[in-house]
Amino acid sequence: MYDFAIIGGGIVGLSTGMALGKRYPNARIVVLEKESKWAFHQTGNNSGVIHSGIYYKPGSFKAKFCRDGCQSMVEFCREHGIAHEVCGKVIVATDESELARLENLYQRGLENGLNVKKITAEEVKEVEPHVACVAGIRVYSTGIADYKQVSRKYAELIELQGGELHLNTKVEKIRQMPNSQVLETNKGTFEARCVVNCAGLHSDRIAKLGRVDPKAKIVPFRGEYYELTPEKRYLVNTLIYPVPNPDFPFLGVHFTKMIDGSVHAGPNAVLSLKREGYKKTDFDLRDFVEVMTYPGFWRLAAKNADEGIKEIIRSFSKAAFVHSLQKLIPEVQADDVVPTHAGVRAQALMNDGKLVDDFLIVKGQNSVHVCNAPSPAATSSIEIGKAVVEQLPAPQHLQSAVNA
């Protein structure tokens, strides 16, 4: 009998296991991951940004966890010798029509308690000489990190705390018992007093196995990236973002200096026809039918038709993708970028067509389900883990140790 079983070995599941071990040193904790490696999907394919929290609605989980997580992630990387850099970023308006939105974003940064500064086009060029813009915002706390390395360290700390880790272990069924839950997997059964669902791209399905309705469905969006050729990396010093369109849920294509020195450009955002579909040709009938028969998807598509079409064009046309990049750095040419990896964002979508724009944490009976944790979940992972632990009931036999 385990005290806590965590389903999902991405960065959020592992951070939750680490937080549980700190809170309950004597607890029996197990983490179950269906893949052969930790942080295999969203975490392992993200852009490696330590986000500041400037974009998120003041008072939301994302705003709070990201702001605090930005600091706790940097501290964690420093403590454990993990590759990272607090390089800052610029968000730029490329024409006059974007200035009002840039000002709104600056005010939101102030509301969220961030160190941000409005800068002129000339001041932007002091940081990023090759950017064309009319004005910008300097965000000082943004950084970059190796989140695979972070995740492996989380896993190592769970084991040092006495927790168990199981790779290649897929949860297929959940049986409710009077005081526990039995997780049936391809590697046998695991019984636990409390269950935490951090299954990312499959979090809604795991919630339903546990008889919890998250009132949202995961819709996968693939983000495709290009990479600057090595001889063109000098064009980017830090991170360069456009002013996001508030009517569209994604940030737009941008330039990201990676921790290994490479520079990634992107992503676009297109519907993936498979929840773990990293290639255009990837297809899964169940995943496809679920999206196509979900009313929320069609409501979202109707509302964002124009932007959605642009994203699809960028997916199939390198010229269109490069044109978007040239709005930020006019010098970039088609020969300067080559395709690189893609990631898939597990985005929760409600039946009314609204994207869940905050982290979604749903409580069940002796369970907690993290049902929407896309970006900035990696940045926020330490804080999400703490928040999940706060929502879990302390096992009776551990209460006295905690109270002491």
Side-chain angles (χ1 to χ4, degrees):
M1 170 73 77
Y2 295 92
D3 296 303
F4 302 100
I6 299 160
I7 304 170
I11 199 166
V12 172
L14 292 168
S15 69
T16 300
M18 185 177 67
L20 280 167
K22 285 182 182 174
R23 179 73 174 271
Y24 305 112
N26 299 316
R28 288 201 67 200
I29 299 166
V30 64
V31 182
L32 308 175
E33 167 55 48
K34 70 181 178 67
E35 302 295 352
S36 60
K37 296 176 184 174
W38 305 112
F40 193 82
H41 288 293
Q42 288 189 100
T43 310
N45 293 287
N46 72 18
S47 58
V49 177
I50 303 175
H51 289 281
S52 64
I54 190 171
Y55 300 108
Y56 311 116
K57 184 179 177 182
S60 65
F61 283 144
K62 278 190 177 182
K64 182 180 185 308
F65 293 168
C66 189
R67 183 193 65 226
D68 296 348
C70 180
Q71 185 176 339
S72 56
M73 180 57 65
V74 169
E75 288 171 358
F76 184 88
C77 290
R78 282 180 185 150
E79 182 183 351
H80 296 285
I82 293 168
H84 72 289
E85 181 186 345
V86 182
C87 54
K89 77 173 176 182
V90 291
I91 303 169
V92 298
T94 55
D95 61 59
E96 302 282 334
S97 67
E98 295 176 341
L99 289 175
R101 281 192 273 142
L102 188 74
E103 176 64 26
N104 290 340
L105 198 57
Y106 171 70
Q107 293 301 330
R108 175 162 281 193
L110 294 178
E111 284 183 72
N112 284 335
L114 304 179
N115 181 12
V116 292
K117 180 185 177 184
K118 286 194 282 189
I119 55 178
T120 64
E122 291 73 25
E123 289 172 315
V124 170
K125 283 193 174 291
E126 290 174 15
V127 183
E128 296 290 352
H130 303 277
V131 168
C133 67
V134 295
I137 301 170
R138 187 90 168 99
V139 186
Y140 291 94
S141 57
T142 301
I144 50 178
D146 182 342
Y147 284 126
K148 288 183 185 176
Q149 203 180 344
V150 169
S151 300
R152 288 194 294 269
K153 179 55 70 171
Y154 287 176
E156 186 183 313
L157 292 172
I158 290 169
E159 284 195 306
L160 287 172
Q161 292 165 350
E164 283 185 32
L165 302 172
H166 292 266
L167 292 165
N168 301 304
T169 306
K170 182 181 180 182
V171 174
E172 297 169 338
K173 190 175 178 183
I174 300 176
R175 283 191 286 118
Q176 303 288 335
M177 307 297 281
N179 298 304
S180 66
Q181 298 179 56
V182 176
L183 310 181
E184 296 184 7
T185 79
N186 60 325
K187 293 287 183 73
T189 60
F190 297 81
E191 187 173 3
R193 293 181 174 89
C194 295
V195 170
V196 183
N197 164 18
C198 298
L201 284 155
H202 301 277
S203 55
D204 56 339
R205 291 173 177 170
I206 293 293
K208 287 183 176 176
L209 286 181
R211 298 184 190 174
V212 170
D213 182 6
K215 294 184 168 44
K217 182 178 289 295
I218 294 295
V219 175
F221 287 93
R222 187 173 60 255
E224 298 159 332
Y225 287 86
Y226 282 84
E227 180 180 350
L228 285 181
T229 57
E231 58 271 20
K232 292 294 181 176
R233 290 175 182 172
Y234 72 88
L235 293 172
V236 176
N237 291 326
T238 59
L239 290 83
I240 306 163
Y241 283 68
V243 180
N245 179 351
D247 298 323
F248 192 60
F250 304 102
L251 294 178
V253 296
H254 48 270
F255 290 93
T256 306
K257 183 177 81 167
M258 307 291 281
I259 201 68
D260 63 1
S262 63
V263 177
H264 285 196
N268 61 349
V270 293
L271 177 69
S272 176
L273 305 183
K274 180 181 179 182
R275 291 204 182 193
E276 294 163 1
Y278 299 100
K279 300 174 188 169
K280 291 182 179 71
T281 53
D282 285 344
F283 178 82
D284 180 271
L285 183 61
R286 178 190 177 190
D287 294 349
F288 175 73
V289 169
E290 273 193 15
V291 172
M292 291 298 112
T293 56
Y294 187 51
F297 170 72
W298 293 106
R299 292 179 179 123
L300 175 74
K303 194 165 53 178
N304 294 282
D306 290 347
E307 289 293 336
I309 289 167
K310 289 178 192 173
E311 295 290 328
I312 293 167
I313 291 170
R314 271 196 286 263
S315 177
F316 287 93
S317 167
K318 183 178 183 179
F321 204 111
V322 170
H323 180 68
S324 296
L325 298 175
Q326 288 171 334
K327 289 180 181 177
L328 296 172
I329 300 181
E331 290 171 60
V332 173
Q333 301 298 314
D335 291 343
D336 299 337
V337 294
V338 293
T340 184
H341 79 284
V344 178
R345 177 189 181 105
Q347 176 63 56
L349 176 64
M350 293 183 287
N351 196 57
D352 62 4
K354 289 181 181 174
L355 293 169
V356 178
D357 64 358
D358 203 359
F359 297 136
L360 178 61
I361 301 173
V362 182
K363 286 189 75 172
Q365 184 177 354
N366 294 326
S367 64
V368 170
H369 302 263
V370 182
C371 291
N372 192 58
S375 179
T379 302
S380 310
S381 57
I382 292 172
E383 306 307 317
I384 295 173
K386 291 177 188 172
V388 169
V389 170
E390 290 299 321
Q391 296 202 32
L392 286 166
Q396 206 68 40
H397 68 288
L398 298 176
Q399 287 271 25
S400 55
V402 173
N403 293 337

